[in-house]
Amino acid sequence: MCKVIPTEVTNDDDTTQNLTITNFEHLEKLRSRSRYVARSCKEIRDRYSAQDNGLYYLTTANGMVFQTFCDMTTAGGGWTLVASAHENSIYGRCTVGDRWSSQQGHNADLPDGDGNWSNRNTFGTALEQGASLDDFKNPVYYDIIAEDISVWHVLNNFPLDHWNLAATLRYHTNNRFFSLYGHYLLRYHHILPVRYNIGLCSNRGPAVPIVYDHGPSAGGKL
C-alpha cells in the first residue's frame, strides 16, 4: 500500500523520495498469506485464525495455487469467493463476454451455450476490481465441499476493498442446503442444469431460506 503525502520540496530527487511512504507492516501482513496452505477460506480461518477480508491464496487437491477473495467477517467468516456473474452490456444477448450464457449468439441448436455452469472451465480474476469488472470462476467451483452459499450484489467496477460497503444486497443461507445437491456448485448444476428451454417459467427450482446481512430486515427465499 502506498500513501501519497504532500510535499513542498522543490528538488526533483527529494520530491521523488518523499512522494510515497510504503507501509511495510501492511505488505508483510499480505506476504505472510502466501505461506498459508488451505483449500478454502474456512480452512484458512480455522487453521490460521485469519480475520481480515481480502485476497488469499488457496490450493486445489492437485496442487494448483490461485488467489481469491475471502469474507472473514460475515456470519463468523470463512466464505470463499467462487464466482461472479457480470453484466457487460444490458443491450447484448449471448454476445462476447456472456460466459454464463452463450458467447455464440442466440442459437436453439446450442441449448447449453458455453456450458460454464456445469463444466470445469475457469476464467477471470479476483484481483482489484476483476470480479466486478468481468465474469469470474475459480477451481473452488468444483474442488471443495460446501454447506451454504453467500451472495453479494455489487455494482460494476468496484475495487474489492469496497465490495462489502458497495453491495446493495448481501445474504446467505445457514441450513446446509448444499448437502442435498452434491455439496458444490458443479454438482448442483448437474442436478439442476441451466439450459435453454429446459423447463417451465412456473418451475423456478428450489426455494431456500436466506439471512440478509445487508438489505431487507425480513427473512426471504433464494
Side-chain angles (χ1 to χ4, degrees), residues 94-129:
C94 298
T95 54
V96 173
D98 291 337
R99 295 175 183 83
W100 292 109
S101 55
S102 174
Q103 301 183 96
Q104 306 168 70
H106 180 70
N107 189 341
D109 293 330
L110 298 171
D112 291 313
D114 286 10
N116 285 321
W117 293 101
S118 55
N119 63 32
R120 293 182 177 232
N121 290 345
T122 59
F123 41 81
T125 177
L127 299 177
E128 297 304 333
Q129 71 262 39

Coordinates of all heavy atoms in Angstrom, one line a residue, residues 94-129:
C94 N -26.3 -13.0 -25.4 CA -25.5 -14.1 -25.9 C -24.4 -13.6 -26.8 O -24.2 -14.1 -27.9 CB -26.4 -15.1 -26.6 SG -27.6 -15.9 -25.5
T95 N -23.7 -12.5 -26.3 CA -22.6 -11.9 -27.1 C -21.3 -12.2 -26.3 O -21.3 -12.7 -25.2 CB -22.8 -10.4 -27.3 OG1 -23.1 -9.8 -26.0 CG2 -24.1 -10.2 -28.2
V96 N -20.2 -11.8 -26.9 CA -18.9 -11.9 -26.3 C -18.9 -11.3 -24.9 O -19.3 -10.2 -24.7 CB -17.8 -11.3 -27.2 CG1 -16.4 -11.4 -26.4 CG2 -17.7 -12.1 -28.5
G97 N -18.5 -12.1 -23.9 CA -18.5 -11.7 -22.5 C -19.6 -12.3 -21.7 O -19.5 -12.2 -20.5
D98 N -20.6 -12.9 -22.4 CA -21.7 -13.6 -21.7 C -21.3 -15.0 -21.4 O -21.9 -15.9 -21.9 CB -23.0 -13.5 -22.5 CG -23.5 -12.1 -22.6 OD1 -23.2 -11.2 -21.7 OD2 -24.3 -11.8 -23.5
R99 N -20.3 -15.2 -20.6 CA -19.8 -16.6 -20.3 C -20.7 -17.5 -19.6 O -20.6 -18.7 -19.7 CB -18.4 -16.5 -19.6 CG -17.3 -15.8 -20.3 CD -16.1 -15.7 -19.5 NE -15.0 -14.9 -20.2 CZ -14.9 -13.6 -20.2 NH1 -15.9 -12.9 -19.6 NH2 -14.0 -13.0 -20.9
W100 N -21.7 -16.9 -18.8 CA -22.6 -17.7 -18.1 C -23.8 -18.1 -18.9 O -24.7 -18.9 -18.5 CB -23.0 -17.0 -16.8 CG -21.9 -16.9 -15.8 CD1 -21.3 -15.7 -15.5 CD2 -21.3 -17.9 -15.1 NE1 -20.3 -16.0 -14.5 CE2 -20.3 -17.3 -14.2 CE3 -21.5 -19.3 -15.0 CZ2 -19.5 -18.0 -13.4 CZ3 -20.7 -20.0 -14.1 CH2 -19.7 -19.4 -13.3
S101 N -23.9 -17.6 -20.1 CA -25.0 -18.0 -21.0 C -24.4 -18.5 -22.3 O -24.1 -19.7 -22.4 CB -26.0 -16.8 -21.3 OG -25.3 -15.7 -21.8
S102 N -24.1 -17.7 -23.3 CA -23.5 -18.1 -24.5 C -22.8 -16.9 -25.2 O -23.4 -15.8 -25.2 CB -24.5 -18.7 -25.5 OG -24.0 -18.9 -26.8
Q103 N -21.7 -17.1 -25.7 CA -20.9 -16.1 -26.5 C -21.1 -16.4 -28.0 O -20.4 -15.8 -28.8 CB -19.5 -16.1 -26.1 CG -19.2 -15.8 -24.6 CD -17.8 -15.7 -24.2 OE1 -17.2 -14.6 -24.2 NE2 -17.1 -16.8 -24.0
Q104 N -21.9 -17.3 -28.3 CA -22.1 -17.8 -29.7 C -23.4 -17.4 -30.3 O -23.8 -17.9 -31.3 CB -22.0 -19.3 -29.7 CG -20.7 -19.8 -29.1 CD -20.7 -21.3 -28.9 OE1 -20.6 -22.1 -29.8 NE2 -20.8 -21.8 -27.6
G105 N -24.0 -16.4 -29.7 CA -25.3 -15.9 -30.2 C -26.5 -16.7 -29.8 O -26.3 -17.8 -29.2
H106 N -27.6 -16.2 -29.9 CA -28.9 -16.9 -29.6 C -29.1 -18.0 -30.5 O -29.5 -17.8 -31.7 CB -30.1 -15.9 -29.6 CG -31.4 -16.6 -29.2 ND1 -31.6 -17.0 -27.9 CD2 -32.4 -16.8 -29.9 CE1 -32.9 -17.5 -27.9 NE2 -33.4 -17.4 -29.1
N107 N -28.9 -19.3 -30.1 CA -28.9 -20.4 -31.0 C -29.6 -21.6 -30.3 O -29.0 -22.2 -29.4 CB -27.5 -20.8 -31.4 CG -27.5 -21.8 -32.5 OD1 -28.5 -22.5 -32.8 ND2 -26.4 -22.0 -33.2
A108 N -30.8 -21.9 -30.7 CA -31.5 -23.0 -30.1 C -30.8 -24.4 -30.3 O -31.1 -25.3 -29.6 CB -32.9 -23.1 -30.7
D109 N -29.9 -24.4 -31.3 CA -29.2 -25.7 -31.5 C -28.1 -25.9 -30.5 O -27.4 -26.9 -30.5 CB -28.6 -25.7 -32.9 CG -29.7 -25.8 -34.0 OD1 -30.8 -26.4 -33.7 OD2 -29.5 -25.3 -35.1
L110 N -27.8 -24.8 -29.7 CA -26.8 -24.9 -28.7 C -27.4 -24.6 -27.3 O -27.2 -23.6 -26.7 CB -25.6 -23.9 -28.9 CG -24.9 -24.1 -30.2 CD1 -23.9 -23.0 -30.5 CD2 -24.1 -25.5 -30.2
P111 N -28.3 -25.5 -26.8 CA -29.1 -25.2 -25.6 C -28.2 -25.0 -24.4 O -28.7 -24.4 -23.4 CB -30.0 -26.4 -25.5 CG -29.3 -27.5 -26.2 CD -28.6 -26.8 -27.4
D112 N -27.0 -25.6 -24.3 CA -26.1 -25.4 -23.2 C -25.3 -24.1 -23.2 O -24.6 -23.8 -22.3 CB -25.2 -26.6 -23.0 CG -26.0 -27.9 -22.6 OD1 -26.8 -27.8 -21.7 OD2 -25.8 -28.9 -23.2
G113 N -25.3 -23.4 -24.4 CA -24.5 -22.3 -24.5 C -23.0 -22.6 -24.3 O -22.5 -23.6 -24.9
D114 N -22.3 -21.8 -23.5 CA -20.9 -22.1 -23.2 C -20.8 -23.2 -22.2 O -19.7 -23.8 -22.0 CB -20.2 -20.9 -22.8 CG -19.9 -19.9 -23.9 OD1 -20.4 -20.1 -25.0 OD2 -19.2 -18.9 -23.7
G115 N -21.8 -23.6 -21.5 CA -21.8 -24.7 -20.6 C -21.1 -24.5 -19.3 O -20.7 -25.4 -18.6
N116 N -20.8 -23.2 -19.0 CA -19.9 -23.0 -17.8 C -20.5 -23.2 -16.5 O -19.8 -23.2 -15.5 CB -19.3 -21.5 -17.9 CG -18.3 -21.4 -19.0 OD1 -17.4 -22.3 -19.1 ND2 -18.3 -20.3 -19.7
W117 N -21.8 -23.3 -16.4 CA -22.5 -23.7 -15.2 C -22.1 -25.1 -14.8 O -22.1 -25.4 -13.6 CB -24.0 -23.5 -15.3 CG -24.5 -22.1 -15.4 CD1 -24.9 -21.5 -16.6 CD2 -24.6 -21.1 -14.4 NE1 -25.2 -20.2 -16.4 CE2 -25.1 -20.0 -15.0 CE3 -24.4 -21.2 -13.0 CZ2 -25.3 -18.8 -14.3 CZ3 -24.6 -20.0 -12.3 CH2 -25.1 -18.8 -12.9
S118 N -21.9 -26.0 -15.7 CA -21.7 -27.4 -15.4 C -20.4 -28.0 -15.9 O -20.3 -29.2 -16.1 CB -22.9 -28.2 -16.0 OG -23.0 -27.9 -17.4
N119 N -19.4 -27.2 -16.2 CA -18.1 -27.7 -16.6 C -17.0 -27.2 -15.6 O -17.3 -26.4 -14.7 CB -17.7 -27.4 -18.0 CG -17.6 -25.9 -18.3 OD1 -17.2 -25.1 -17.5 ND2 -18.0 -25.5 -19.5
R120 N -15.7 -27.5 -15.9 CA -14.6 -27.2 -15.1 C -13.8 -26.0 -15.6 O -12.7 -25.8 -15.2 CB -13.7 -28.4 -14.8 CG -14.4 -29.4 -14.0 CD -13.5 -30.6 -13.7 NE -14.2 -31.6 -12.8 CZ -13.7 -32.1 -11.7 NH1 -12.6 -31.7 -11.3 NH2 -14.4 -33.0 -11.0
N121 N -14.3 -25.3 -16.6 CA -13.6 -24.1 -17.1 C -13.5 -23.1 -16.0 O -14.3 -23.0 -15.1 CB -14.4 -23.5 -18.2 CG -14.4 -24.3 -19.5 OD1 -13.6 -25.2 -19.6 ND2 -15.3 -23.9 -20.4
T122 N -12.4 -22.4 -16.0 CA -12.2 -21.3 -15.0 C -11.8 -20.0 -15.9 O -11.2 -20.1 -16.9 CB -11.1 -21.5 -14.0 OG1 -9.8 -21.8 -14.7 CG2 -11.5 -22.7 -13.1
F123 N -12.2 -18.9 -15.3 CA -11.9 -17.6 -16.1 C -11.9 -16.4 -15.1 O -12.5 -16.5 -14.0 CB -12.9 -17.4 -17.2 CG -14.3 -17.8 -16.9 CD1 -15.1 -16.9 -16.2 CD2 -14.8 -19.0 -17.3 CE1 -16.4 -17.2 -15.9 CE2 -16.1 -19.3 -17.0 CZ -16.9 -18.4 -16.3
G124 N -11.3 -15.3 -15.6 CA -11.4 -14.1 -14.8 C -10.4 -14.1 -13.7 O -9.6 -15.0 -13.5
T125 N -10.5 -13.0 -12.9 CA -9.6 -12.8 -11.7 C -10.3 -12.1 -10.6 O -11.3 -11.3 -10.9 CB -8.3 -12.0 -12.1 OG1 -7.5 -11.8 -11.0 CG2 -8.7 -10.7 -12.8
A126 N -9.9 -12.3 -9.4 CA -10.4 -11.6 -8.2 C -9.6 -10.3 -7.9 O -10.0 -9.6 -7.0 CB -10.5 -12.5 -7.0
L127 N -8.5 -10.1 -8.6 CA -7.6 -9.0 -8.3 C -8.2 -7.7 -8.5 O -8.9 -7.5 -9.5 CB -6.3 -9.1 -9.1 CG -5.5 -10.4 -8.9 CD1 -4.3 -10.4 -9.9 CD2 -5.0 -10.6 -7.5
E128 N -8.0 -6.8 -7.6 CA -8.5 -5.4 -7.6 C -10.0 -5.5 -7.9 O -10.7 -6.1 -7.1 CB -7.8 -4.6 -8.7 CG -6.3 -4.4 -8.4 CD -6.1 -3.7 -7.1 OE1 -6.9 -3.0 -6.6 OE2 -5.0 -4.0 -6.5
Q129 N -10.5 -4.9 -9.0 CA -12.0 -5.0 -9.2 C -12.3 -6.1 -10.2 O -13.4 -6.1 -10.8 CB -12.5 -3.6 -9.7 CG -12.1 -3.2 -11.1 CD -11.0 -2.3 -11.2 OE1 -10.0 -2.4 -10.4 NE2 -11.0 -1.3 -12.1

